[in-house]
Amino acid sequence: MLILLDQDGVLADFELGFHNAWQTKMGHKHPALSPAERRAFYVRDDYPKEFREEVEEIYTASGFFRDLPAISGAMEAVRHLLTLGHDVRICTSPLNQYRNCVPEKYEWVERHLGPDFVHRMIVTKDKTVVHGDVLVDDKPVITGTRHPNWKHVLFDQPYNRHVDGLRMTWETWRNALMVDESRSQGTDSKTS
Amino acid sequence: MLILLDQDGVLADFELGFHNAWQTKMGHKHPALSPAERRAFYVRDDYPKEFREEVEEIYTASGFFRDLPAISGAMEAVRHLLTLGHDVRICTSPLNQYRNCVPEKYEWVERHLGPDFVHRMIVTKDKTVVHGDVLVDDKPVITGTRHPNWKHVLFDQPYNRHVDGLRMTWETWRNALMVDESRSQGTDSKTS
């Protein structure tokens, strides 16, 4: 399978990174929403309108994307998918304010998955033009110019629970992706 | 048509930019090859091996990609393709040394084609995973994991003349892309 994985909210913990940065820089003016309290896909829509500029300042700041923590279990699952023989790519949309975001997405992947994995990155605003069997993405609905040939598997987040459909976490990915582990098990049994 | 355009060597004049930068910084040690003398796809392969590090220093330097001149006629042709109703995207592979290259490719597009065109960028090492009817690219042979569904139209450059197949420049693109101009002509005639 050609498996496309979104980066922020699936591999990189944008929510935790934002929460911590807001609490440090702005917590004295307005408390940070905990990741569990988030309801809108775009974090700016979950804070009062008068803080819009401050919200954007946080996620466009130098180092924000580079220093995001990895979502628990994600790196291990990605490596597991590769050992199962799947073709795994990162398919990510940059911010309109691309100057820090885009190169730091590359740095993040290099740091967490190694320099070879950087070659697996596809950076595009329109994910419907990318081939794949599956796209794992936390965005509730993914639109673009084409009818995509991938199946959208929703990566479970508090802000997408109003959407029906197949969903997964890095605890439940084996069932959601219907990954056949017999191949690697077969290999194991031959060597045991 | 969904038309994918490579960036360097098709829209941005990497060859002229490299020639000028080499002549300024290294011309006293080894004369720059003129763009017409280039024979290898990768510029480093056209310079003596002892200069490999200096070649890489030039195209990985801050500002190199950002300041590349536009290839003559390219910007006008891109805008014309849009007015004809085609869906035009930039499909570009970053250097392994991505730190300056990737954000500066975005800056280049913003500067030469405007901020909205930045949304049309697809940055990927593997262009075969991207949908399209046509890919205009100066690279002689484009490989990847899939059999692509686009047709490769070679953008004519001195270093790809050994390859057979459909080729174009920004003087000959109308014939090569078999673009039907009747649509815009029809619109014109209605308003005339």
Side-chain angles (χ1 to χ4, degrees):
Chain A
M1 282 209 297
L2 176 52
I3 299 174
L4 309 174
L5 302 175
D6 178 35
Q7 188 165 350
D8 300 307
V10 174
L11 302 176
D13 202 337
F14 182 99
E15 296 306 320
L16 189 57
F18 186 88
H19 172 274
N20 293 348
W22 183 276
Q23 201 53 42
T24 303
K25 291 178 194 166
M26 288 292 297
H28 60 291
K29 290 195 180 167
H30 185 86
L33 283 172
S34 78
E37 292 170 304
R38 291 262 293 100
R39 292 295 174 268
F41 178 68
Y42 294 109
V43 64
R44 60 174 179 258
D45 298 330
D46 264 351
Y47 281 78
K49 278 208 174 90
E50 65 260 35
F51 292 116
R52 176 119 183 201
E53 204 171 305
E54 288 82 356
V55 168
E56 291 195 355
E57 266 172 28
I58 283 183
Y59 60 64
T60 58
S62 172
F64 176 79
F65 279 93
R66 188 188 61 224
D67 295 334
L68 290 177
I71 287 183
S72 178
M75 301 302 101
E76 298 76 6
V78 169
R79 292 194 193 95
H80 198 138
L81 285 167
L82 287 177
T83 64
L84 290 173
H86 296 291
D87 188 355
V88 181
R89 313 290 176 107
I90 294 173
C91 187
T92 182
S93 292
L95 293 181
N96 291 343
Q97 305 98 324
Y98 57 79
R99 283 183 181 77
N100 293 316
C101 165
V102 169
E104 292 186 14
K105 278 175 175 284
Y106 280 75
E107 287 180 58
W108 193 94
V109 170
E110 184 170 9
R111 179 192 291 186
H112 288 272
L113 291 161
D116 287 349
F117 215 93
V118 171
H119 300 166
R120 296 177 177 271
M121 292 181 72
I122 306 163
V123 183
T124 177
K125 279 276 190 190
D126 182 353
K127 298 185 181 184
T128 67
V129 299
V130 181
H131 276 283
D133 295 300
V134 166
L135 168 66
V136 180
D137 205 304
D138 62 316
K139 193 171 185 177
V141 177
I142 297 170
T143 54
T145 51
R146 290 186 75 258
H147 181 76
N149 63 345
W150 36 255
K151 181 174 68 177
H152 179 194
V153 176
L154 205 58
F155 189 83
D156 184 60
Q157 289 282 8
Y159 46 79
N160 64 30
R161 301 235 167 98
H162 60 290
V163 176
D164 287 334
L166 199 54
R167 74 176 50 231
M168 61 167 258
T169 66
W170 291 120
E171 280 75 52
T172 65
W173 62 272
R174 285 177 180 80
N175 284 336
L177 299 178
M178 293 175 290
V179 165
D180 177 13
E181 301 228 15
S182 61
R183 185 168 162 178
S184 64
Q185 285 168 1
T187 311
D188 287 349
S189 65
K190 277 182 197 169
T191 57
S192 65
Chain B
M1 282 208 297
L2 177 51
I3 300 174
L4 310 173
L5 302 176
D6 178 35
Q7 188 164 352
D8 300 308
V10 174
L11 302 176
D13 202 336
F14 182 99
E15 297 305 319
L16 189 57
F18 186 88
H19 172 274
N20 294 347
W22 183 275
Q23 202 53 40
T24 303
K25 291 178 194 166
M26 289 292 297
H28 60 290
K29 289 194 179 168
H30 185 85
L33 283 172
S34 77
E37 292 171 304
R38 291 264 293 102
R39 291 295 175 268
F41 178 69
Y42 294 109
V43 63
R44 59 174 181 257
D45 298 331
D46 264 351
Y47 281 78
K49 277 208 174 92
E50 65 261 35
F51 292 116
R52 176 120 183 199
E53 205 171 306
E54 288 83 356
V55 168
E56 292 196 353
E57 266 172 27
I58 283 182
Y59 61 63
T60 58
S62 172
F64 176 79
F65 279 92
R66 188 188 60 222
D67 295 335
L68 289 178
I71 287 183
S72 178
M75 300 302 100
E76 297 78 5
V78 169
R79 291 194 194 96
H80 198 137
L81 284 167
L82 287 177
T83 63
L84 290 171
H86 296 291
D87 188 356
V88 181
R89 313 289 178 108
I90 294 174
C91 187
T92 182
S93 291
L95 293 181
N96 291 343
Q97 304 98 326
Y98 57 77
R99 284 185 180 75
N100 293 317
C101 166
V102 169
E104 292 186 14
K105 279 175 176 285
Y106 280 75
E107 287 180 58
W108 193 95
V109 170
E110 185 170 9
R111 180 190 293 186
H112 289 272
L113 290 161
D116 287 349
F117 215 93
V118 170
H119 301 166
R120 296 177 177 270
M121 293 182 69
I122 306 163
V123 183
T124 176
K125 279 278 191 192
D126 181 354
K127 299 185 183 184
T128 68
V129 298
V130 181
H131 277 283
D133 295 299
V134 166
L135 169 66
V136 180
D137 206 303
D138 61 317
K139 193 171 185 178
V141 178
I142 297 169
T143 54
T145 50
R146 292 186 74 258
H147 181 77
N149 63 346
W150 36 255
K151 181 175 68 177
H152 179 194
V153 175
L154 205 58
F155 190 83
D156 184 59
Q157 289 282 9
Y159 47 78
N160 65 30
R161 301 237 167 97
H162 60 289
V163 176
D164 287 335
L166 197 55
R167 76 176 50 230
M168 61 167 256
T169 65
W170 291 121
E171 279 75 51
T172 65
W173 62 272
R174 285 177 180 80
N175 284 335
L177 299 178
M178 294 176 290
V179 166
D180 177 11
E181 301 227 16
S182 60
R183 184 167 163 180
S184 64
Q185 285 166 1
T187 309
D188 288 349
S189 66
K190 277 182 199 168
T191 55
S192 64

